[in-house]
Amino acid sequence: MRWRYILNVVGILTLFLGLTMFFPLLVAFYYRDDSIYSILISIGITIFSGILLHFMFKGEKVENLSKREGMAIVTFGWSSACLFGALPFYIGGEFGSFVNALFESVSGFTTTGSSILTNIEGVSMGLLFWRSLIQWFGGMGIIVLSIAILPFLGVGGMQLYKAEVPSPVPDKLKPRIRDTAMVLWKVYALFSLAEIIFLMLGGMNLYDALCHTFTTMPTGGFSTKNASIAHYDSVYLDFVVFFFMLAAGINFSLHYQMLRGKPLAFWKDSECRVFLGAVVVLILVVTFNIFGSVYQSLGQAFRYSSFQVMSIITTTGYATADYEQWPAMSRLILLLCMFTGASAGSTGGGIKWLRIMLYFKYCYRELFALLHPHAVTHIKIAGKSVPEDVMRSVMGFLALYLGLFCLCSVALAGLGVDFVTSFSAVAATLGNIGPGLGAVGPVENFANIPVLGKWLLIWCMLLGRLEIFTVIILLVPEFWRR
Amino acid sequence: MRWRYILNVVGILTLFLGLTMFFPLLVAFYYRDDSIYSILISIGITIFSGILLHFMFKGEKVENLSKREGMAIVTFGWSSACLFGALPFYIGGEFGSFVNALFESVSGFTTTGSSILTNIEGVSMGLLFWRSLIQWFGGMGIIVLSIAILPFLGVGGMQLYKAEVPSPVPDKLKPRIRDTAMVLWKVYALFSLAEIIFLMLGGMNLYDALCHTFTTMPTGGFSTKNASIAHYDSVYLDFVVFFFMLAAGINFSLHYQMLRGKPLAFWKDSECRVFLGAVVVLILVVTFNIFGSVYQSLGQAFRYSSFQVMSIITTTGYATADYEQWPAMSRLILLLCMFTGASAGSTGGGIKWLRIMLYFKYCYRELFALLHPHAVTHIKIAGKSVPEDVMRSVMGFLALYLGLFCLCSVALAGLGVDFVTSFSAVAATLGNIGPGLGAVGPVENFANIPVLGKWLLIWCMLLGRLEIFTVIILLVPEFWRR
């Protein structure tokens, strides 16, 4: 493990993060709000730390990263961004304790969207802007992570995507990351620009349009309003946000192909087909479940069902309705959506539909194997056999995901959190959704979770965002040997 | 598929079932209660149907059963027992509708213990005796199923046990079943006899001692009292039941080895070690969780915690305390116990600790594989490598179990059942426990579940008891071909 190089990279990341803090500083100046002072100090600390790390650990030239080093950079890079990103929240004192500031920052960079703020609209404009912006950066990180880094590291079956990454030098991690990132960030920026325009056409001011775009495209879900998107109560805005959540929940490689003139790419991709099919079915089921019992018009039922299902399944977490008041079936479906998540290669979290598909095929193969024990059967995706080691990775990921969910739920309950809140808070953070059920439902928040519980959920957000293996491997003694 | 033979076997089973109905008839005569009439009619119908099936489909000689035929016999045999076993409940009218009678019968034969009776003590003695007795028969069926049949069929990874079955003719199903059954039924009968004696020493009358033994040894959980074991409020009886639940939750092959003078067998068996370890840890955690908050004395907390954890983890389902009133952590742990279940080869249900162990090893192997992608690693149990196809079966079983749990929970909620009740009712029936949480908690029952929901849970009980694959394979079109 070449630690000098890893810390040097983390240093550069930190330096850049410090520079991006000038954006919220500008906003704070424009609105002349209280956060100028805390943002300025944060910029100072962050840039200084970045330069310090960079120069202290300069010198080691690394051409080919090992997997271990890749995982270390990902985990430590994300963690340090979360840490320095929390500074503006902490220094001003508006977020209360340090754990609160860190919780909000981790929730930002992991594009989760769980919040400890009880009165969002009372927070200064500069900090709210930063809170949204870090989700947008988190999303940029995720695109690179899921399409360029994880397939290379072979985490959780994502090596399936190895062949499909548009990269001229397929076997070296660094050029792969650079090229892929550039291509896909352009797509990300283009969608973001479009959303800003469409939101403003619906009457949102520039500030809110920026903030909401910064939290839609990464499927983050932070809002500048206490009532989230429900604040605007506009069918047009609901639809715009719905559309961009959907876009953010689809593999960005497909968007890239579409922009290159291959609109059929969406249909040719089996994961995308299954994801869209599942979304349609779930929206219809929830619509009929809440129609009559909660909403008296079918149109309203459809409006709120479609928005809420899309918001949860893409792991965004915006709310236009208090789904806590919906019948048990709808709440269970939303809870399941927290697990499935969106597509692999999107900015969404959760297990992801590629793995869900492989899971179904795995189950079916076992039934088939009972009838034909001597037949050799391969699981196929898009006509190609999935190697057995990839299947093992996928099932291992699922197993670890569920195991951690159970363990963390029990631990959170042990801290005095109630039954439904415990497991839904863990589901919502591990899947990077945002709100859960019970006391962390869409109209409440994570403020009342005990301090240790917040630390636990911080850990869950990071675990989920970095596809579990990348983080948990640091706990395996084997990782540190040699 | 040799249907004549299969239906012939089902006919013989039915005939025997009809003969066993003379036991409750004797009880009904002794207490001169109202059930004499309904039991007599049931005996007539059952014996007549059995003879009819037997003679209609006589003639086909089968020496070597195919796997398909084995699965068909298991599923149809169990289903027909449940159907005819429901007759005494239905004909007398004491259980209300037919679905209620069937629910109670399925809950009996699958040794689940979920009940639709709101006033157990008001039911006639003959029928209560039958209700307990069918659990005891169900337990006999399970021992044969899990130790002799499933390993042969290769269901859910149970082929692991193939080598360990004490059978002189290891490759033919019929002699294997016969020999294994005889050996293990002796153990089962011996434990039952011991429990009857110990219960009576604690002041229980013969009738209650018989009924409770018949529902402890198969980890069934039906009681003749509304308040379950809490009715007696006796530390001695709690302990006796605790001990026999534990015995019933351990692989019966180990009991057999112990009786042959190898008491170390328990310790040498890795599943048994892990199961006992888990039980101890969970009892301690729950004890400290309920101590202070629910019980003011540590002794009381330990008494109720140990009984309730043992009752749920062995999938018995007796209650000495209303665990619905316990803190969230304890309830979550009990919910998880509904999934883990007891040991393979015991009469307990659920996923079983052998599979849980393999699941943990699978997760660890994936972490290891990330660090050493080229190393070939085998998962070992008791020093022996577990073949990859067995591992696939185990993971397939887990996947199917969780998938069905999710699907059935959503479906039950769709019928208007509340949130916690939906998933805990499915967990409690799929794992063959008995009571769940919420409206099907330990002091309530399944009476208020809607009719369609009862049918769904009947299906869950059968699925869980027959290790899912055996039942669900009937839905695969491939099964019916050729």
Side-chain angles (χ1 to χ4, degrees), chain A residues 71 74-75 78 110 142 145-147 149-151 153-158 340 342-352 354-355 393-394 396-398 400-401 404 430-432 460-473, chain B residues 367 370:
Chain A
M71 287 187 263
V74 166
T75 307
W78 235 279
T110 59
I142 286 311
L145 182 71
S146 63
I147 300 190
I149 304 180
L150 292 180
L153 299 180
V155 166
M158 285 303 123
T340 66
S343 311
S346 75
T347 56
I351 289 167
K352 304 187 185 62
L354 179 71
R355 294 202 186 95
S393 284
V394 170
F397 178 87
L398 279 166
L400 215 52
Y401 196 98
L404 282 167
L430 201 57
N432 300 120
C460 286
M461 291 191 270
L462 274 173
L463 267 178
R465 186 71 285 184
L466 305 181
E467 304 275 318
I468 293 176
F469 283 108
T470 327
V471 179
I472 214 140
I473 200 115
Chain B
L367 286 174
L370 266 187

Side-chain angles (χ1 to χ4, degrees), chain A residues 366-412:
Chain A
E366 272 322 296
L367 285 174
F368 186 84
L370 266 186
L371 294 172
H372 303 281
H374 301 298
V376 178
T377 44
H378 291 289
I379 289 171
K380 288 183 180 180
I381 282 273
K384 274 183 255 172
S385 284
V386 178
E388 273 310 302
D389 61 327
V390 174
M391 271 319 298
R392 284 216 318 244
S393 284
V394 170
M395 295 306 284
F397 178 87
L398 279 166
L400 215 52
Y401 196 98
L402 291 174
L404 282 167
F405 164 69
C406 294
L407 195 72
C408 295
S409 299
V410 171
L412 193 59

Side-chain angles (χ1 to χ4, degrees), chain B residues 172-249:
Chain B
K172 290 192 176 176
L173 186 54
K174 275 166 68 188
R176 177 189 218 98
I177 293 177
R178 205 185 306 124
D179 300 350
T180 314
M182 283 306 156
V183 165
L184 296 176
W185 284 349
K186 278 181 201 158
V187 179
Y188 189 63
L190 203 69
F191 270 99
S192 299
L193 190 67
E195 188 180 353
I196 294 168
I197 295 167
F198 280 110
L199 288 179
M200 290 182 73
L201 286 178
M204 234 186 232
N205 64 39
L206 178 64
Y207 178 85
D208 285 344
L210 278 171
C211 286
H212 283 102
T213 296
F214 288 160
T215 58
T216 311
M217 287 315 297
T219 68
F222 277 153
S223 173
T224 50
K225 303 297 176 189
N226 286 329
S228 188
I229 304 297
H231 175 90
Y232 299 98
D233 196 15
S234 145
V235 176
Y236 170 81
L237 285 178
D238 281 9
F239 179 75
V240 171
V241 174
F242 174 90
F243 175 81
F244 285 96
M245 289 195 292
L246 172 62

Side-chain angles (χ1 to χ4, degrees), chain B residues 384-446:
Chain B
K384 273 182 257 173
S385 285
V386 178
E388 274 310 302
D389 63 325
V390 173
M391 271 320 297
R392 284 215 319 243
S393 284
V394 169
M395 295 307 284
F397 178 87
L398 279 165
L400 215 53
Y401 195 98
L402 291 174
L404 283 167
F405 165 69
C406 294
L407 195 72
C408 295
S409 300
V410 171
L412 193 59
L415 297 170
V417 176
D418 79 68
F419 190 74
V420 172
T421 307
S422 296
F423 61 75
S424 72
V426 172
T429 47
L430 201 57
N432 300 120
I433 287 91
L437 298 166
V440 294
V443 297
E444 293 176 271
N445 59 49
F446 289 72

Side-chain angles (χ1 to χ4, degrees), chain A residues 30-64:
Chain A
Y30 180 82
Y31 289 104
R32 299 175 199 287
D33 70 21
D34 302 334
S35 59
I36 297 178
Y37 171 74
S38 52
I39 296 177
L40 266 174
I41 297 181
S42 307
I43 291 178
I45 297 177
T46 310
I47 291 186
F48 176 75
S49 308
I51 292 176
L52 198 71
L53 275 171
H54 177 59
F55 282 100
M56 269 176 70
F57 300 105
K58 218 183 157 181
E60 198 157 3
K61 281 236 181 243
V62 170
E63 269 313 302
N64 233 336

